[in-house]
Structure formats: C-alpha cells, structure tokens
C-alpha cells in the first residue's frame, strides 16, 4: 500500500478534515525493474485545486520514476475527501490550578493574570467550534508566595477534554498567581474574675476592662 498526498489545497481558506487512505498499485514492466522498485519510486496524489467546503469525490493519480513501468490498476481509484473552512478565533486564557498551596496559605484565584491575556485558536471550523476555553494548567503545590509560571496552553471542550485538531497561538503564556497567608480573627467576650472581697459597707456597681472590646 502507498501513501496518498493531497496537492493544491488552498490552506488559507480550507482544511482537509478527512484522512487520506492508502492505495494499492498494480504495475507491469521488466522483471528486473519491478524487483528493484520501492515506495519512493511512486508518486501518488489527489488534486484538490478549486475545491471548496464540503465532500468531494477525487481521483487518484500515480506516476512511477521509471518510464518502463506501467500502472495497470489503482485500488481504490477514487475516494471522498472532506474540506472544512479555515477559521480563527481569539479567546481569553483561563488558569486551571491542579494542586493546592501550602497549609495556612491561599491562592487568590480571582486576581490570576496571564501574559498575554488572549490566544488565537485556528483550524477547521468544525474543530474550532468545539473549543470552549483555552486553559493554562499550573501546579501550586506547597507555594507560600506568589507564583509565576510559563504554562502550556490547552484548548478544551465543554467536558474539559482536549481538542487536538486545532492550533493555539501562542503555545504558552506567563501566568501570575498571588498567594497570601491566611489570617484568622475571632471576637470573644472578656470575663473579669474578681479576687478578694470589698469592705462590708461597699458594693461593686460598675466593672469595665481596658482596652474595651
């Protein structure tokens, strides 16, 4: 089986979304020549010139480097290719934190920033439409101060699964995550304990603490 090459695809407007099958080529010629033939001696192509979006039936052309060899049969002689419009979409970069900071600290998720803040997703329209967000995954394990990470950008769908048939530009972004110490405060009543006793002719009419709560 031989690999098929697609030629004359207008890559600025369309993307080939269907895989190209391999083909079997039967040839005739001098026995000595046939015994020496290799895959590199064949050029197998489908011409996509002038084709637009949608499904198209295309014929397979085969040429052999040795002119004494004749192509008798190509199987399959033609097949269907699918072309999709090429599109680009600009999307904000979001951070996905995959591990926690050190105990007693917290990451301020609301103030995470990325440089750049946006990425361009490009490819076949059907694939780009699947992208729900562009995520920068980063680990904050054990962090006790702000973290800056050059993170790889991943296009994901609504189920958070990676969309593989698109391109993201740039491929990485510098993500800055503020990390701060957790400080706790609790308001409690102050209860005075009286030691000793006052004179029999006296009473306690007012008691206060300093500083006052």
């Amino acid at each position: 089986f031989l690999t098929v090459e697609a030629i004359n695809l207008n890559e600025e407007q369309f993307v080939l979304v269907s895989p190209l099958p391999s083909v079997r080529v039967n040839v005739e010629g001098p026995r000595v020549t046939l015994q020496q033939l290799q895959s590199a001696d064949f050029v197998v192509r489908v011409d996509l010139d002038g084709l637009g979006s949608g499904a198209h039936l295309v014929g397979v052309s085969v040429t052999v480097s040795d002119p004494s060899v004749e192509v008798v049969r190509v199987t399959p002689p033609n097949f269907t290719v699918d072309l999709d419009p090429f599109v680009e979409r600009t999307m904000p970069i979001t951070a996905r934190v995959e591990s926690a900071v050190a105990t007693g600290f917290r990451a301020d998720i609301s103030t995470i920033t990325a440089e750049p803040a946006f990425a361009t997703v490009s490819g076949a329209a059907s694939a780009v439409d699947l992208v729900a967000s562009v995520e920068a995954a980063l680990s904050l394990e054990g962090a006790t101060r702000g973290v800056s990470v050059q993170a790889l950008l991943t296009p994901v769908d609504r189920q958070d699964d990676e969309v593989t048939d698109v391109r993201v530009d740039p491929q990485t972004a510098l993500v800055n995550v503020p990390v701060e110490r957790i400080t706790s405060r609790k308001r409690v009543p102050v209860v005075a304990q009286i030691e000793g006793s006052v004179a029999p002719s006296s009473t306690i009419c007012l008691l206060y603490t300093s500083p006052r709560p």
Side-chain angles (χ1 to χ4, degrees):
F1 287 91
L2 299 176
T3 302
V4 179
E5 175 192 7
I7 61 172
N8 296 325
L9 172 65
N10 186 346
E11 296 182 350
E12 294 183 355
Q13 296 185 8
F14 302 103
V15 177
L16 178 63
V17 294
S18 56
L20 297 178
S22 298
V23 298
R24 181 190 296 273
V25 178
N26 296 91
V27 294
E28 291 181 347
R31 176 176 297 181
V32 176
T33 303
L34 296 180
Q35 290 175 343
Q36 296 176 347
L37 281 178
Q38 298 181 357
S39 300
D41 295 317
F42 294 86
V43 176
V44 185
R45 292 173 170 172
V46 288
D47 192 351
L48 307 183
D49 185 36
L51 300 184
S53 178
H56 306 274
L57 185 66
V58 292
V60 180
S61 68
V62 180
T63 57
V64 189
S65 59
D66 192 320
S68 65
V69 176
E70 179 184 359
V71 177
V72 226
R73 184 183 302 110
V74 179
T75 309
N78 50 57
F79 53 81
T80 301
V81 295
D82 292 315
L83 301 184
D84 222 8
F86 176 84
V87 297
E88 293 182 338
R89 183 192 302 171
T90 300
M91 305 184 70
I93 296 171
T94 59
R96 184 177 76 244
V97 178
E98 297 184 334
S99 57
V101 297
T103 303
F105 294 82
R106 67 180 177 186
D108 191 352
I109 304 298
S110 62
T111 57
I112 291 179
T113 60
E115 302 173 15
F118 294 87
T120 301
V121 180
S122 60
S126 56
V128 173
D129 286 345
L130 295 176
V131 180
S133 61
V134 176
E135 294 185 344
L138 61 154
S139 170
L140 300 180
E141 185 174 1
T144 58
R145 59 183 179 180
V147 175
S148 293
V149 178
Q150 194 73 32
L152 182 67
L153 302 181
T154 304
V156 297
D157 59 19
R158 286 182 171 79
Q159 285 71 47
D160 211 28
D161 295 324
E162 182 178 358
V163 180
T164 58
D165 297 328
V166 296
R167 178 179 177 179
V168 178
D169 187 35
Q171 296 181 335
T172 63
L174 180 63
V175 182
N176 303 294
V177 186
V179 175
E180 58 187 17
R181 183 184 295 275
I182 299 174
T183 55
S184 313
R185 292 186 178 183
K186 184 177 181 180
R187 197 177 184 90
V188 296
V190 177
V191 180
Q193 293 184 343
I194 301 175
E195 296 182 355
S197 58
V198 297
S201 60
S202 302
T203 59
I204 297 176
C205 59
L206 179 63
L207 183 66
Y208 67 90
T209 59
S210 179
R212 296 187 178 185

